[in-house]
Structures are given as C-alpha cells and as structure tokens.
Amino acid sequence: RSPFKTPPATIALSDLNSRSERWRECALVASEFAADVIHTHLLNRDDHQCLRQAGAPMLATIHNARAGWQAGTEQFSSLDVDLLVACSQAVERDLRLAHIDVPTRTVWNGIPLAEFQVSAADRREARRRLVAHHHLPEESILIAALANPRPQKRLERLPGILRLTEQRLQSAGCIRPLHLLLAGEPSHKNAGAAESMAVIQQQITHW
C-alpha cells in the first residue's frame, strides 16, 4: 500500500537500527517537549517500558480481542502504563478477565452523523451505481465489510455468515440474492495479513 503523506512536525525514527533504540529516542523527544501524556497504539510491553523513561503519564489503546494482543499485554502493570483504553466493551471485558492490574475503560467512538446525511434519492442512486459497477442483479442485497485484512479480523468467517444469512432470509420468504463486498488491502509486510487473505480466498472458492 502507498503510505500516507507525512504530516508536518512528524519525527521520523525509521533510520534507527533497533526497535528499542527508536522508543528510547521517542522518550527523549517526549521528555524534551514536556509532553503531558503519551498515547500509544499497538505497542508491546518492552516498548512501553522504553517510553516510560520520558516520565509522562501513559495511556495505551487496546485495539484487538485477546488473541490479537501485542506481546506482554497480559503482563502490563502500573509500572508500564497508567490507563488502558479498550476500543470496545468486548475488548474491555477481555482485559478485565486477564486480571491486568491497570485501570481500564472503554472509549466510545462518536460518529458525527450530520456529516454523512444524504437524501433517500442520493442513497438509491449510489446503490444503483455500486450494483452496476459490480455487475450484480438490481434486486441484490449488498453487505460491505471494510477492514484491514489480518487474522484478528476473522474475515474468513464472513462467507459462512453470508450463507447462513441467505438461508434464513429464504426461509422467511425473501429470495433476493446476497452479495458480500470486501474492501481493504492487506499489508504486504505482514505475514499474518497474507495468510488471512489466503484463508478468505479459500472460503470464497468453496462457496
């Protein structure tokens, strides 16, 4: 995938040789900047311990269910991070069941619906164009899954879910065909992403 354009004031650390070296440099930058808080995403416990050298309070967002946690997450303590923020109630439940001795909360991802308000006519037209683009029957029911393919996303379950959904609709008298649209490109640097795509493709082939 093409990388996003680097935002202004970004500090690039990719030229440093080791992961620990990068995080120590990041801690130094945060300390010199006098950061009020350090907010981390998808870092392991060793990374957090390096960042602790900055001396600022640390908040870690946990994005995945337990199977997709970074190394050492279950061993987190207040020495590593001050607050764990789960991306969903299910993830928060996993954190609590792991008995991690760090305060844990769920962050509610608010969506400003007003920014996405469109008329019924515009929605029908957008649907018509989408159906035509994929050469699908006009009466199709479309289900879209937008995700970065990785094992923890469990996208390989969707074809089976689609099949069961179609069967239930048919038993209720709805004979409209169902179609699943998968939108998301895997990272070519992530072996798990490639494996996930292979499994998804296998499920689709055996549909």
Side-chain angles (χ1 to χ4, degrees), residues 42-110:
L42 302 173
L43 302 187
N44 61 41
R45 191 185 184 197
D46 290 341
D47 298 336
H48 283 88
Q49 291 176 344
C50 289
L51 285 172
R52 265 300 196 199
Q53 299 175 32
M58 291 180 59
L59 178 158
T61 293
I62 308 300
H63 290 271
N64 299 311
R66 195 167 185 170
W69 287 355
Q70 303 299 304
T73 299
E74 295 186 31
Q75 287 74 47
F76 272 148
S77 74
S78 57
L79 297 177
D80 307 308
V81 63
D82 297 287
L83 177 65
L84 298 178
V85 176
C87 67
S88 68
Q89 290 178 296
V91 173
E92 180 182 349
R93 184 166 57 250
D94 278 356
L95 290 167
R96 295 190 184 281
L97 289 173
H99 302 290
I100 298 174
D101 188 25
V102 178
T104 301
R105 300 290 186 272
T106 295
V107 62
W108 297 97
N109 299 302

Short mmCIF file of all heavy atoms in Angstrom, two decimals, residues 42-110:
data_model
loop_
_atom_site.label_atom_id
_atom_site.label_comp_id
_atom_site.label_asym_id
_atom_site.label_seq_id
_atom_site.Cartn_x
_atom_site.Cartn_y
_atom_site.Cartn_z
N LEU A 42 -0.91 -0.26 19.79
CA LEU A 42 -0.33 -1.49 19.26
C LEU A 42 1.16 -1.64 19.59
O LEU A 42 1.94 -2.14 18.78
CB LEU A 42 -0.55 -1.57 17.74
CG LEU A 42 -2.01 -1.51 17.29
CD1 LEU A 42 -2.11 -1.42 15.78
CD2 LEU A 42 -2.79 -2.71 17.80
N LEU A 43 1.56 -1.24 20.78
CA LEU A 43 2.94 -1.43 21.23
C LEU A 43 2.99 -2.57 22.24
O LEU A 43 2.03 -2.82 22.97
CB LEU A 43 3.49 -0.15 21.87
CG LEU A 43 3.49 1.11 21.00
CD1 LEU A 43 4.21 2.23 21.72
CD2 LEU A 43 4.12 0.84 19.64
N ASN A 44 4.14 -3.25 22.30
CA ASN A 44 4.28 -4.33 23.28
C ASN A 44 4.79 -3.79 24.61
O ASN A 44 5.07 -2.60 24.76
CB ASN A 44 5.17 -5.45 22.73
CG ASN A 44 6.58 -4.97 22.43
OD1 ASN A 44 7.17 -4.20 23.18
ND2 ASN A 44 7.14 -5.43 21.32
N ARG A 45 4.95 -4.68 25.57
CA ARG A 45 5.33 -4.24 26.91
C ARG A 45 6.74 -3.65 26.94
O ARG A 45 7.00 -2.64 27.62
CB ARG A 45 5.25 -5.41 27.89
CG ARG A 45 5.38 -4.97 29.35
CD ARG A 45 5.42 -6.15 30.29
NE ARG A 45 5.44 -5.70 31.68
CZ ARG A 45 5.79 -6.47 32.69
NH1 ARG A 45 6.14 -7.74 32.47
NH2 ARG A 45 5.79 -5.99 33.92
N ASP A 46 7.66 -4.23 26.19
CA ASP A 46 9.02 -3.70 26.14
C ASP A 46 9.03 -2.27 25.59
O ASP A 46 9.78 -1.41 26.07
CB ASP A 46 9.92 -4.59 25.29
CG ASP A 46 10.22 -5.93 25.95
OD1 ASP A 46 10.04 -6.04 27.18
OD2 ASP A 46 10.63 -6.86 25.22
N ASP A 47 8.19 -2.02 24.58
CA ASP A 47 8.10 -0.67 24.01
C ASP A 47 7.66 0.33 25.09
O ASP A 47 8.21 1.43 25.21
CB ASP A 47 7.09 -0.64 22.86
CG ASP A 47 7.49 -1.53 21.70
OD1 ASP A 47 8.70 -1.80 21.55
OD2 ASP A 47 6.60 -1.96 20.94
N HIS A 48 6.65 -0.06 25.86
CA HIS A 48 6.15 0.84 26.90
C HIS A 48 7.21 1.11 27.97
O HIS A 48 7.31 2.24 28.47
CB HIS A 48 4.89 0.25 27.55
CG HIS A 48 3.66 0.40 26.71
ND1 HIS A 48 3.29 -0.51 25.76
CD2 HIS A 48 2.72 1.38 26.67
CE1 HIS A 48 2.18 -0.12 25.18
NE2 HIS A 48 1.81 1.03 25.71
N GLN A 49 7.96 0.10 28.30
CA GLN A 49 9.00 0.30 29.31
C GLN A 49 10.07 1.27 28.82
O GLN A 49 10.61 2.05 29.62
CB GLN A 49 9.59 -1.05 29.71
CG GLN A 49 8.61 -1.91 30.49
CD GLN A 49 9.15 -3.30 30.81
OE1 GLN A 49 10.13 -3.74 30.23
NE2 GLN A 49 8.47 -3.99 31.72
N CYS A 50 10.37 1.25 27.53
CA CYS A 50 11.30 2.23 26.97
C CYS A 50 10.72 3.64 27.03
O CYS A 50 11.41 4.60 27.40
CB CYS A 50 11.64 1.88 25.52
SG CYS A 50 12.69 0.42 25.32
N LEU A 51 9.43 3.75 26.69
CA LEU A 51 8.79 5.06 26.68
C LEU A 51 8.61 5.62 28.08
O LEU A 51 8.49 6.84 28.25
CB LEU A 51 7.43 4.97 25.97
CG LEU A 51 7.48 4.88 24.45
CD1 LEU A 51 6.10 4.59 23.89
CD2 LEU A 51 8.03 6.16 23.85
N ARG A 52 8.57 4.76 29.08
CA ARG A 52 8.42 5.20 30.46
C ARG A 52 9.55 6.16 30.87
O ARG A 52 9.40 6.96 31.79
CB ARG A 52 8.42 4.01 31.42
CG ARG A 52 7.07 3.48 31.80
CD ARG A 52 6.23 4.51 32.49
NE ARG A 52 5.09 3.92 33.17
CZ ARG A 52 4.02 4.59 33.54
NH1 ARG A 52 3.94 5.87 33.28
NH2 ARG A 52 3.03 4.02 34.16
N GLN A 53 10.66 6.09 30.18
CA GLN A 53 11.79 6.95 30.52
C GLN A 53 11.47 8.42 30.30
O GLN A 53 12.16 9.30 30.82
CB GLN A 53 13.00 6.55 29.67
CG GLN A 53 13.47 5.13 29.91
CD GLN A 53 14.60 4.72 28.97
OE1 GLN A 53 15.41 5.55 28.58
NE2 GLN A 53 14.65 3.45 28.60
N ALA A 54 10.40 8.72 29.55
CA ALA A 54 10.02 10.12 29.33
C ALA A 54 9.43 10.74 30.59
O ALA A 54 9.44 11.96 30.74
CB ALA A 54 9.01 10.21 28.19
N GLY A 55 8.92 9.89 31.49
CA GLY A 55 8.37 10.39 32.74
C GLY A 55 6.95 10.91 32.67
O GLY A 55 6.40 11.38 33.66
N ALA A 56 6.32 10.85 31.49
CA ALA A 56 4.95 11.34 31.32
C ALA A 56 3.94 10.23 31.56
O ALA A 56 4.25 9.05 31.36
CB ALA A 56 4.77 11.92 29.92
N PRO A 57 2.73 10.57 32.00
CA PRO A 57 1.68 9.55 32.12
C PRO A 57 1.44 8.89 30.76
O PRO A 57 1.55 9.54 29.72
CB PRO A 57 0.45 10.36 32.56
CG PRO A 57 1.01 11.60 33.17
CD PRO A 57 2.27 11.90 32.41
N MET A 58 1.12 7.59 30.79
CA MET A 58 0.94 6.85 29.55
C MET A 58 -0.44 6.22 29.47
O MET A 58 -0.90 5.59 30.42
CB MET A 58 2.03 5.77 29.41
CG MET A 58 3.41 6.37 29.17
SD MET A 58 4.69 5.10 29.01
CE MET A 58 4.07 4.16 27.64
N LEU A 59 -1.05 6.38 28.32
CA LEU A 59 -2.35 5.82 28.01
C LEU A 59 -2.17 4.91 26.80
O LEU A 59 -1.62 5.32 25.79
CB LEU A 59 -3.35 6.95 27.71
CG LEU A 59 -4.78 6.61 27.32
CD1 LEU A 59 -5.68 7.80 27.61
CD2 LEU A 59 -4.92 6.21 25.86
N ALA A 60 -2.62 3.67 26.90
CA ALA A 60 -2.48 2.71 25.80
C ALA A 60 -3.86 2.29 25.30
O ALA A 60 -4.69 1.82 26.08
CB ALA A 60 -1.70 1.49 26.24
N THR A 61 -4.11 2.48 24.02
CA THR A 61 -5.35 2.00 23.42
C THR A 61 -5.14 0.55 22.97
O THR A 61 -4.19 0.25 22.25
CB THR A 61 -5.76 2.87 22.22
OG1 THR A 61 -6.11 4.16 22.69
CG2 THR A 61 -6.95 2.26 21.50
N ILE A 62 -6.04 -0.32 23.40
CA ILE A 62 -6.00 -1.74 23.03
C ILE A 62 -7.05 -1.95 21.95
O ILE A 62 -8.25 -1.78 22.18
CB ILE A 62 -6.28 -2.65 24.25
CG1 ILE A 62 -5.36 -2.27 25.41
CG2 ILE A 62 -6.11 -4.11 23.85
CD1 ILE A 62 -3.88 -2.41 25.11
N HIS A 63 -6.60 -2.31 20.75
CA HIS A 63 -7.48 -2.34 19.58
C HIS A 63 -8.09 -3.71 19.31
O HIS A 63 -9.06 -3.79 18.57
CB HIS A 63 -6.69 -1.92 18.33
CG HIS A 63 -6.33 -0.47 18.32
ND1 HIS A 63 -7.15 0.50 17.79
CD2 HIS A 63 -5.23 0.18 18.78
CE1 HIS A 63 -6.58 1.69 17.92
NE2 HIS A 63 -5.42 1.52 18.51
N ASN A 64 -7.52 -4.77 19.85
CA ASN A 64 -7.92 -6.11 19.42
C ASN A 64 -8.43 -6.96 20.58
O ASN A 64 -8.12 -6.70 21.74
CB ASN A 64 -6.73 -6.83 18.78
CG ASN A 64 -6.22 -6.09 17.55
OD1 ASN A 64 -6.99 -5.72 16.68
ND2 ASN A 64 -4.91 -5.87 17.50
N ALA A 65 -9.18 -7.98 20.21
CA ALA A 65 -9.53 -9.00 21.19
C ALA A 65 -8.26 -9.72 21.64
O ALA A 65 -7.19 -9.57 21.04
CB ALA A 65 -10.52 -9.99 20.58
N ARG A 66 -8.38 -10.51 22.68
CA ARG A 66 -7.20 -11.07 23.36
C ARG A 66 -6.25 -11.80 22.42
O ARG A 66 -5.02 -11.71 22.55
CB ARG A 66 -7.68 -12.02 24.47
CG ARG A 66 -6.62 -12.40 25.48
CD ARG A 66 -7.27 -13.06 26.68
NE ARG A 66 -6.31 -13.35 27.74
CZ ARG A 66 -6.66 -13.75 28.96
NH1 ARG A 66 -7.93 -13.89 29.27
NH2 ARG A 66 -5.73 -14.00 29.88
N ALA A 67 -6.79 -12.50 21.43
CA ALA A 67 -5.94 -13.27 20.51
C ALA A 67 -5.01 -12.37 19.70
O ALA A 67 -3.97 -12.83 19.21
CB ALA A 67 -6.81 -14.11 19.59
N GLY A 68 -5.37 -11.10 19.55
CA GLY A 68 -4.57 -10.19 18.74
C GLY A 68 -3.74 -9.22 19.54
O GLY A 68 -3.19 -8.26 18.98
N TRP A 69 -3.60 -9.44 20.86
CA TRP A 69 -2.83 -8.53 21.69
C TRP A 69 -1.34 -8.58 21.37
O TRP A 69 -0.81 -9.62 20.94
CB TRP A 69 -3.02 -8.86 23.16
CG TRP A 69 -4.36 -8.46 23.69
CD1 TRP A 69 -5.34 -7.76 23.03
CD2 TRP A 69 -4.89 -8.77 24.98
NE1 TRP A 69 -6.43 -7.60 23.83
CE2 TRP A 69 -6.20 -8.20 25.02
CE3 TRP A 69 -4.41 -9.46 26.09
CZ2 TRP A 69 -7.01 -8.31 26.16
CZ3 TRP A 69 -5.21 -9.56 27.21
CH2 TRP A 69 -6.50 -8.99 27.24
N GLN A 70 -0.67 -7.45 21.62
CA GLN A 70 0.77 -7.39 21.45
C GLN A 70 1.47 -8.16 22.58
O GLN A 70 0.90 -8.38 23.65
CB GLN A 70 1.24 -5.93 21.46
CG GLN A 70 0.59 -5.06 20.40
CD GLN A 70 0.88 -5.55 19.00
OE1 GLN A 70 2.03 -5.69 18.62
NE2 GLN A 70 -0.17 -5.82 18.23
N ALA A 71 2.72 -8.54 22.35
CA ALA A 71 3.48 -9.33 23.33
C ALA A 71 3.56 -8.59 24.66
O ALA A 71 3.88 -7.41 24.71
CB ALA A 71 4.89 -9.60 22.80
N GLY A 72 3.25 -9.31 25.74
CA GLY A 72 3.38 -8.75 27.08
C GLY A 72 2.19 -7.97 27.57
O GLY A 72 2.20 -7.49 28.71
N THR A 73 1.13 -7.87 26.77
CA THR A 73 -0.04 -7.10 27.20
C THR A 73 -0.64 -7.67 28.47
O THR A 73 -1.02 -6.92 29.38
CB THR A 73 -1.11 -7.07 26.08
OG1 THR A 73 -0.57 -6.44 24.92
CG2 THR A 73 -2.35 -6.31 26.53
N GLU A 74 -0.69 -8.98 28.58
CA GLU A 74 -1.29 -9.60 29.75
C GLU A 74 -0.45 -9.40 31.01
O GLU A 74 -0.93 -9.59 32.12
CB GLU A 74 -1.50 -11.10 29.50
CG GLU A 74 -2.51 -11.37 28.40
CD GLU A 74 -2.83 -12.86 28.26
OE1 GLU A 74 -2.79 -13.56 29.29
OE2 GLU A 74 -3.11 -13.30 27.14
N GLN A 75 0.81 -9.00 30.84
CA GLN A 75 1.70 -8.75 31.98
C GLN A 75 1.79 -7.27 32.34
O GLN A 75 2.57 -6.89 33.20
CB GLN A 75 3.11 -9.29 31.69
CG GLN A 75 3.21 -10.81 31.72
CD GLN A 75 2.60 -11.48 30.51
OE1 GLN A 75 2.85 -11.07 29.37
NE2 GLN A 75 1.78 -12.51 30.74
N PHE A 76 1.00 -6.42 31.68
CA PHE A 76 1.04 -5.00 31.99
C PHE A 76 0.78 -4.75 33.47
O PHE A 76 -0.04 -5.42 34.09
CB PHE A 76 -0.03 -4.24 31.20
CG PHE A 76 0.41 -3.77 29.83
CD1 PHE A 76 -0.50 -3.69 28.79
CD2 PHE A 76 1.72 -3.40 29.60
CE1 PHE A 76 -0.12 -3.24 27.54
CE2 PHE A 76 2.11 -2.96 28.34
CZ PHE A 76 1.20 -2.89 27.31
N SER A 77 1.48 -3.76 34.01
CA SER A 77 1.21 -3.29 35.37
C SER A 77 1.27 -1.78 35.36
O SER A 77 1.56 -1.15 34.33
CB SER A 77 2.25 -3.86 36.35
OG SER A 77 3.50 -3.21 36.19
N SER A 78 1.01 -1.17 36.51
CA SER A 78 1.06 0.29 36.61
C SER A 78 2.48 0.82 36.40
O SER A 78 2.67 2.02 36.20
CB SER A 78 0.53 0.74 37.97
OG SER A 78 1.27 0.13 39.02
N LEU A 79 3.48 -0.06 36.43
CA LEU A 79 4.85 0.36 36.13
C LEU A 79 5.04 0.57 34.63
O LEU A 79 5.98 1.27 34.21
CB LEU A 79 5.85 -0.68 36.64
CG LEU A 79 5.87 -0.92 38.15
CD1 LEU A 79 6.85 -2.03 38.49
CD2 LEU A 79 6.25 0.37 38.89
N ASP A 80 4.17 -0.03 33.82
CA ASP A 80 4.29 0.05 32.36
C ASP A 80 3.40 1.13 31.75
O ASP A 80 3.79 1.81 30.81
CB ASP A 80 3.94 -1.29 31.72
CG ASP A 80 4.74 -2.44 32.32
OD1 ASP A 80 5.96 -2.34 32.38
OD2 ASP A 80 4.11 -3.44 32.72
N VAL A 81 2.18 1.26 32.27
CA VAL A 81 1.18 2.15 31.67
C VAL A 81 0.19 2.56 32.75
O VAL A 81 -0.06 1.80 33.70
CB VAL A 81 0.49 1.44 30.48
CG1 VAL A 81 -0.29 0.23 30.94
CG2 VAL A 81 -0.40 2.40 29.70
N ASP A 82 -0.39 3.76 32.61
CA ASP A 82 -1.29 4.28 33.64
C ASP A 82 -2.76 4.00 33.37
O ASP A 82 -3.56 3.94 34.30
CB ASP A 82 -1.08 5.80 33.77
CG ASP A 82 0.32 6.14 34.22
OD1 ASP A 82 0.63 5.92 35.41
OD2 ASP A 82 1.12 6.60 33.38
N LEU A 83 -3.13 3.86 32.10
CA LEU A 83 -4.53 3.62 31.76
C LEU A 83 -4.61 2.82 30.48
O LEU A 83 -3.91 3.12 29.50
CB LEU A 83 -5.27 4.96 31.57
CG LEU A 83 -6.74 4.88 31.14
CD1 LEU A 83 -7.59 4.22 32.22
CD2 LEU A 83 -7.28 6.28 30.82
N LEU A 84 -5.46 1.79 30.48
CA LEU A 84 -5.74 1.01 29.27
C LEU A 84 -7.12 1.42 28.75
O LEU A 84 -8.09 1.43 29.50
CB LEU A 84 -5.72 -0.49 29.57
CG LEU A 84 -4.40 -1.07 30.07
CD1 LEU A 84 -4.56 -2.55 30.38
CD2 LEU A 84 -3.29 -0.84 29.04
N VAL A 85 -7.18 1.76 27.47
CA VAL A 85 -8.44 2.17 26.86
C VAL A 85 -8.80 1.14 25.78
O VAL A 85 -8.07 0.98 24.80
CB VAL A 85 -8.33 3.58 26.25
CG1 VAL A 85 -9.62 3.94 25.53
CG2 VAL A 85 -8.04 4.60 27.33
N ALA A 86 -9.90 0.45 25.99
CA ALA A 86 -10.35 -0.56 25.03
C ALA A 86 -11.17 0.09 23.93
O ALA A 86 -11.90 1.06 24.17
CB ALA A 86 -11.17 -1.63 25.75
N CYS A 87 -11.08 -0.47 22.73
CA CYS A 87 -11.83 0.08 21.59
C CYS A 87 -13.27 -0.40 21.58
O CYS A 87 -14.06 0.05 20.74
CB CYS A 87 -11.14 -0.27 20.28
SG CYS A 87 -11.16 -2.03 19.91
N SER A 88 -13.63 -1.32 22.48
CA SER A 88 -14.99 -1.84 22.53
C SER A 88 -15.23 -2.46 23.90
O SER A 88 -14.28 -2.75 24.65
CB SER A 88 -15.24 -2.89 21.44
OG SER A 88 -14.48 -4.06 21.72
N GLN A 89 -16.48 -2.69 24.24
CA GLN A 89 -16.80 -3.33 25.51
C GLN A 89 -16.26 -4.76 25.55
O GLN A 89 -15.85 -5.25 26.61
CB GLN A 89 -18.31 -3.32 25.73
CG GLN A 89 -18.88 -1.94 26.02
CD GLN A 89 -20.38 -1.96 26.18
OE1 GLN A 89 -21.11 -2.29 25.26
NE2 GLN A 89 -20.85 -1.62 27.36
N ALA A 90 -16.26 -5.43 24.39
CA ALA A 90 -15.75 -6.80 24.35
C ALA A 90 -14.26 -6.84 24.68
O ALA A 90 -13.79 -7.73 25.40
CB ALA A 90 -16.00 -7.42 22.97
N VAL A 91 -13.50 -5.87 24.15
CA VAL A 91 -12.07 -5.82 24.45
C VAL A 91 -11.85 -5.47 25.92
O VAL A 91 -10.96 -6.03 26.58
CB VAL A 91 -11.37 -4.80 23.52
CG1 VAL A 91 -9.91 -4.60 23.94
CG2 VAL A 91 -11.44 -5.27 22.08
N GLU A 92 -12.65 -4.55 26.45
CA GLU A 92 -12.53 -4.22 27.87
C GLU A 92 -12.81 -5.45 28.73
O GLU A 92 -12.12 -5.71 29.73
CB GLU A 92 -13.49 -3.10 28.27
CG GLU A 92 -13.38 -2.73 29.75
CD GLU A 92 -14.35 -1.65 30.18
OE1 GLU A 92 -14.98 -1.03 29.32
OE2 GLU A 92 -14.47 -1.45 31.40
N ARG A 93 -13.78 -6.25 28.33
CA ARG A 93 -14.09 -7.48 29.08
C ARG A 93 -12.90 -8.42 29.06
O ARG A 93 -12.55 -9.03 30.08
CB ARG A 93 -15.33 -8.14 28.48
CG ARG A 93 -15.79 -9.38 29.25
CD ARG A 93 -17.20 -9.79 28.82
NE ARG A 93 -17.28 -10.04 27.39
CZ ARG A 93 -17.94 -9.26 26.54
NH1 ARG A 93 -18.55 -8.17 26.96
NH2 ARG A 93 -17.98 -9.57 25.25
N ASP A 94 -12.23 -8.56 27.90
CA ASP A 94 -11.05 -9.41 27.82
C ASP A 94 -9.95 -8.91 28.75
O ASP A 94 -9.26 -9.70 29.41
CB ASP A 94 -10.52 -9.44 26.38
CG ASP A 94 -11.27 -10.43 25.50
OD1 ASP A 94 -12.13 -11.14 26.02
OD2 ASP A 94 -10.98 -10.47 24.28
N LEU A 95 -9.76 -7.60 28.80
CA LEU A 95 -8.72 -7.02 29.67
C LEU A 95 -9.02 -7.31 31.13
O LEU A 95 -8.12 -7.64 31.91
CB LEU A 95 -8.63 -5.52 29.43
CG LEU A 95 -8.02 -5.08 28.08
CD1 LEU A 95 -8.28 -3.60 27.84
CD2 LEU A 95 -6.52 -5.38 28.05
N ARG A 96 -10.28 -7.20 31.51
CA ARG A 96 -10.65 -7.45 32.91
C ARG A 96 -10.52 -8.94 33.25
O ARG A 96 -10.08 -9.30 34.36
CB ARG A 96 -12.06 -6.94 33.18
CG ARG A 96 -12.17 -5.42 33.05
CD ARG A 96 -13.51 -4.90 33.55
NE ARG A 96 -13.63 -3.47 33.35
CZ ARG A 96 -13.07 -2.55 34.11
NH1 ARG A 96 -12.34 -2.92 35.16
NH2 ARG A 96 -13.24 -1.26 33.86
N LEU A 97 -10.89 -9.80 32.31
CA LEU A 97 -10.77 -11.24 32.54
C LEU A 97 -9.31 -11.67 32.66
O LEU A 97 -9.00 -12.68 33.29
CB LEU A 97 -11.46 -12.02 31.43
CG LEU A 97 -12.99 -11.95 31.40
CD1 LEU A 97 -13.54 -12.62 30.14
CD2 LEU A 97 -13.57 -12.61 32.66
N ALA A 98 -8.41 -10.89 32.05
CA ALA A 98 -6.98 -11.20 32.15
C ALA A 98 -6.38 -10.71 33.46
O ALA A 98 -5.20 -10.96 33.74
CB ALA A 98 -6.23 -10.56 30.98
N HIS A 99 -7.19 -10.01 34.27
CA HIS A 99 -6.76 -9.53 35.59
C HIS A 99 -5.50 -8.66 35.49
O HIS A 99 -4.56 -8.82 36.26
CB HIS A 99 -6.52 -10.70 36.56
CG HIS A 99 -7.73 -11.57 36.74
ND1 HIS A 99 -8.86 -11.16 37.41
CD2 HIS A 99 -7.99 -12.84 36.31
CE1 HIS A 99 -9.78 -12.13 37.40
NE2 HIS A 99 -9.27 -13.16 36.74
N ILE A 100 -5.50 -7.76 34.54
CA ILE A 100 -4.39 -6.83 34.37
C ILE A 100 -4.54 -5.71 35.40
O ILE A 100 -5.59 -5.07 35.49
CB ILE A 100 -4.36 -6.26 32.94
CG1 ILE A 100 -4.16 -7.41 31.94
CG2 ILE A 100 -3.27 -5.22 32.78
CD1 ILE A 100 -4.25 -6.99 30.49
N ASP A 101 -3.50 -5.47 36.16
CA ASP A 101 -3.56 -4.53 37.27
C ASP A 101 -3.33 -3.09 36.81
O ASP A 101 -2.39 -2.41 37.24
CB ASP A 101 -2.53 -4.92 38.33
CG ASP A 101 -2.67 -4.10 39.62
OD1 ASP A 101 -3.79 -3.60 39.86
OD2 ASP A 101 -1.68 -3.94 40.35
N VAL A 102 -4.18 -2.65 35.87
CA VAL A 102 -4.12 -1.29 35.35
C VAL A 102 -5.57 -0.83 35.15
O VAL A 102 -6.39 -1.61 34.66
CB VAL A 102 -3.37 -1.23 33.99
CG1 VAL A 102 -3.38 0.20 33.44
CG2 VAL A 102 -1.94 -1.72 34.15
N PRO A 103 -5.92 0.40 35.53
CA PRO A 103 -7.28 0.89 35.28
C PRO A 103 -7.65 0.75 33.80
O PRO A 103 -6.83 1.02 32.92
CB PRO A 103 -7.21 2.36 35.70
CG PRO A 103 -6.11 2.42 36.70
CD PRO A 103 -5.10 1.40 36.24
N THR A 104 -8.89 0.31 33.54
CA THR A 104 -9.31 0.00 32.18
C THR A 104 -10.67 0.65 31.91
O THR A 104 -11.57 0.59 32.74
CB THR A 104 -9.42 -1.52 31.97
OG1 THR A 104 -8.15 -2.12 32.24
CG2 THR A 104 -9.84 -1.85 30.56
N ARG A 105 -10.80 1.25 30.73
CA ARG A 105 -12.05 1.88 30.32
C ARG A 105 -12.31 1.59 28.85
O ARG A 105 -11.39 1.23 28.11
CB ARG A 105 -11.99 3.40 30.53
CG ARG A 105 -11.74 3.84 31.96
CD ARG A 105 -12.93 3.57 32.87
NE ARG A 105 -12.70 4.13 34.20
CZ ARG A 105 -12.09 3.48 35.19
NH1 ARG A 105 -11.63 2.24 34.98
NH2 ARG A 105 -11.93 4.04 36.37
N THR A 106 -13.55 1.79 28.42
CA THR A 106 -13.90 1.71 27.01
C THR A 106 -14.01 3.11 26.46
O THR A 106 -14.62 3.97 27.08
CB THR A 106 -15.23 0.97 26.80
OG1 THR A 106 -15.10 -0.39 27.21
CG2 THR A 106 -15.66 1.02 25.33
N VAL A 107 -13.41 3.36 25.30
CA VAL A 107 -13.57 4.65 24.63
C VAL A 107 -14.73 4.52 23.65
O VAL A 107 -14.82 3.54 22.91
CB VAL A 107 -12.28 5.09 23.90
CG1 VAL A 107 -11.89 4.10 22.81
CG2 VAL A 107 -12.44 6.48 23.32
N TRP A 108 -15.62 5.48 23.67
CA TRP A 108 -16.78 5.46 22.78
C TRP A 108 -16.45 6.26 21.53
O TRP A 108 -16.15 7.45 21.61
CB TRP A 108 -18.00 6.03 23.50
CG TRP A 108 -18.37 5.20 24.68
CD1 TRP A 108 -18.01 5.42 25.98
CD2 TRP A 108 -19.08 3.96 24.67
NE1 TRP A 108 -18.48 4.41 26.79
CE2 TRP A 108 -19.14 3.50 26.02
CE3 TRP A 108 -19.69 3.21 23.67
CZ2 TRP A 108 -19.78 2.32 26.37
CZ3 TRP A 108 -20.32 2.03 24.04
CH2 TRP A 108 -20.37 1.60 25.36
N ASN A 109 -16.47 5.61 20.41
CA ASN A 109 -16.09 6.23 19.15
C ASN A 109 -17.28 6.95 18.55
O ASN A 109 -18.10 6.36 17.85
CB ASN A 109 -15.55 5.17 18.17
CG ASN A 109 -14.30 4.50 18.73
OD1 ASN A 109 -13.32 5.16 19.03
ND2 ASN A 109 -14.36 3.18 18.88
N GLY A 110 -17.40 8.22 18.84
CA GLY A 110 -18.52 9.01 18.34
C GLY A 110 -18.40 9.28 16.86
O GLY A 110 -17.32 9.58 16.35
#
